[in-house]
Amino acid sequence: MMHKTRGGRSIALTALTIGSIAVLAGCGTAGGGDAGGGDEAEELGDFESSVSILAWPGYVEDGSNDPAIDWVSGFEELTGCTVEAKTYGTSDEAVNLMKTGEYDVVAASGDATLRLIAAGDVAPVNTDLIPSYAGVFDFLKDKEWNSVDGQSYGVPHGYGANLLLYNTEVFTEAPTSWDVVFDGASAYTGKVTAYDSPIYIADAAVYLMTHQPDLGIQNPYALDETQFQAAVDLLKEQRAHIGEYWSDYLKEVQAFETGDSVVGTTWQVIQNVLAGEEAPTEVVLPEEGATGWSDTWMIASDAASPNCAYAWLDWIASPETNAAATAYFGEAPSSQEACDYRDDCEAYHAGDADYAEQIWYWTTPIADCVDGRTDVECVDYAKWTEAWSEIKG
């Protein structure tokens, strides 16, 4: 699956989080503390010499790709924890890599987090040991994709909505509904695009929540067999009108620049790139709402460097670091304080709780329905994956 883009702007980074990291360093015992393992850490100790991080491209930048883009070196200088980073391309890949036990920290999207928790590959996180957590937007905390039974399993990183992108020369008035890519897609046959991932089934479910209310869908990631089949059937109907499914944002940019695509799902940063190229495009959040993402930094249950891992979670959530990382990646930051270091928070609707309430953040579909129902079994992600192959044909 996924993910987003490495686009964005350069932000100079200074170590304003020295105080909070220093607090962590002084919290524990000289021997290394109790962090890690399968239980929530109670205290922290001395930093280890390194920390191994698994993340999306663009999340752990040390200046090697662009000398101006570096929020790793300050962390290393401050803590003495040398960062060893590996990137991955899909959530499925991240889940498999975490099973190797080679990584201390992972940045996971909501279609991976519950799988990692259920497998025991990540540990509960004691947010009291992460000073920066206090500033994180409340609407990103204690959610079904980053917490279980009130226990936090990580720190929110950034977030965004999957928006509707359209060609303004084709649509003289802004569309207000996802209808243009579903029931009304025949008007744009061959020029409709959609995100290439099983999690896109949830986009169909969001549409059906409004247009087929008798299905009783309350959460697009909690679908019983009847609800799931309705979403799959809708996507099979849509398939006849799809010109291309996309997962590489550059390909979507190119398709809208050439006119090969005129309408489909997108991210705000893709519209930013298109606007920079003066392409005739705009984005809208349709009246039905939308799916979206809120990524979470998580700590491995058997982390070899738990103290450095906790320090990283605090560092990456601190205002200036979070501003740099999320701006470079192309998403809203996780705190209002981070907006002090960005000039584009308004474009990403950062901190707008009403806007955020319209987003159904990616959540791993599991048999135990995440909408709270106990009288039925929901369709799990493995079956979503099977269905996606059938949809694409």
Side-chain angles (χ1 to χ4, degrees):
M1 208 203 81
M2 179 112 242
H3 212 54
K4 308 119 198 172
T5 174
R6 297 182 56 169
R9 62 186 178 84
S10 300
I11 294 181
L13 186 63
T14 58
L16 289 188
T17 53
I18 290 177
S20 61
I21 295 290
V23 169
L24 285 176
C27 274
T29 62
D34 299 319
D39 298 322
E40 179 188 276
E42 295 181 0
E43 60 181 4
L44 297 176
D46 296 338
F47 295 137
E48 302 84 5
S49 61
S50 65
V51 61
S52 180
I53 301 175
L54 181 65
W56 293 112
Y59 268 28
V60 187
E61 291 295 310
D62 61 2
S64 57
N65 291 315
D66 182 337
I69 306 297
D70 181 4
W71 51 86
V72 170
S73 296
F75 171 78
E76 294 178 327
E77 293 169 4
L78 190 63
T79 64
C81 302
T82 300
V83 171
E84 300 170 356
K86 178 179 175 60
T87 60
Y88 62 86
T90 69
S91 287
D92 289 346
E93 182 183 355
V95 170
N96 289 331
L97 285 170
M98 283 301 291
K99 294 183 184 302
T100 67
E102 297 177 3
Y103 305 97
D104 301 305
V105 176
V106 60
S109 290
D111 57 336
T113 51
L114 292 185
R115 285 188 279 169
L116 293 169
I117 294 170
D121 293 329
V122 292
V125 168
N126 184 347
T127 57
D128 290 340
L129 300 178
I130 304 172
S132 296
Y133 185 80
V136 172
F137 292 126
D138 287 341
F139 58 77
L140 298 179
K141 295 178 178 178
D142 303 318
K143 299 302 180 181
E144 59 268 25
W145 63 86
N146 58 30
S147 301
V148 175
D149 296 331
Q151 171 63 61
S152 174
Y153 276 83
V155 175
H157 176 70
Y159 68 99
N162 295 312
L163 301 169
L164 179 63
L165 177 64
Y166 63 95
N167 184 307
T168 56
E169 294 177 349
V170 175
F171 295 84
T172 56
E173 294 186 6
T176 60
S177 170
W178 288 108
D179 175 78
V180 292
V181 299
F182 289 122
D183 291 330
S186 60
Y188 316 101
T189 296
K191 295 193 173 184
V192 177
T193 188
Y195 187 56
D196 189 1
S197 168
I199 207 68
Y200 183 67
I201 294 171
D203 290 58
V206 168
Y207 179 75
L208 292 173
M209 289 172 70
T210 297
H211 296 273
Q212 291 190 33
D214 290 348
L215 287 169
I217 299 174
Q218 299 298 315
N219 184 310
Y221 307 103
L223 305 178
D224 60 36
E225 189 60 45
T226 299
Q227 296 166 339
F228 181 74
Q229 194 57 53
V232 170
D233 288 345
L234 179 61
L235 291 174
K236 287 182 176 179
E237 293 173 6
Q238 182 197 53
R239 179 67 184 94
H241 310 296
I242 295 289
E244 182 180 26
Y245 290 101
W246 68 275
S247 58
D248 182 339
Y249 85 99
L250 291 174
K251 289 184 177 179
E252 185 177 40
V253 167
Q254 182 178 32
F256 273 85
E257 286 180 330
T258 61
D260 289 342
S261 294
V262 300
V263 67
T265 186
T266 196
W267 305 315
Q268 178 64 50
V269 70
I270 293 175
Q271 167 56 20
N272 293 350
V273 174
L274 287 165
E277 298 295 330
E278 298 184 349
T281 59
E282 288 290 349
V283 292
V284 64
L285 179 67
E287 59 192 11
E288 298 94 349
T291 61
W293 72 88
S294 173
D295 291 347
T296 303
W297 288 100
M298 312 179 86
I299 297 177
S301 56
D302 56 355
S305 301
N307 298 291
C308 284
Y310 263 85
W312 175 261
L313 264 61
D314 186 64
W315 174 264
I316 200 66
S318 61
E320 190 169 4
T321 309
N322 189 257
T326 55
Y328 181 64
F329 196 75
E331 58 192 334
S334 64
S335 70
Q336 190 60 50
E337 290 79 2
C339 286
D340 292 340
Y341 301 94
R342 289 179 59 171
D343 58 13
D344 60 351
C345 273
E346 185 175 353
Y348 288 92
H349 300 273
D352 186 339
D354 291 337
Y355 185 88
E357 285 180 1
Q358 300 176 67
I359 305 173
W360 292 94
Y361 299 100
W362 284 340
T363 304
T364 307
I366 57 177
D368 293 333
C369 302
V370 295
D371 63 359
R373 285 182 293 169
T374 58
D375 57 335
V376 296
E377 186 173 279
C378 282
V379 179
D380 64 20
Y381 189 72
K383 293 180 180 177
W384 283 48
T385 301
E386 293 174 7
W388 186 243
S389 295
E390 295 177 4
I391 291 165
K392 291 181 63 180

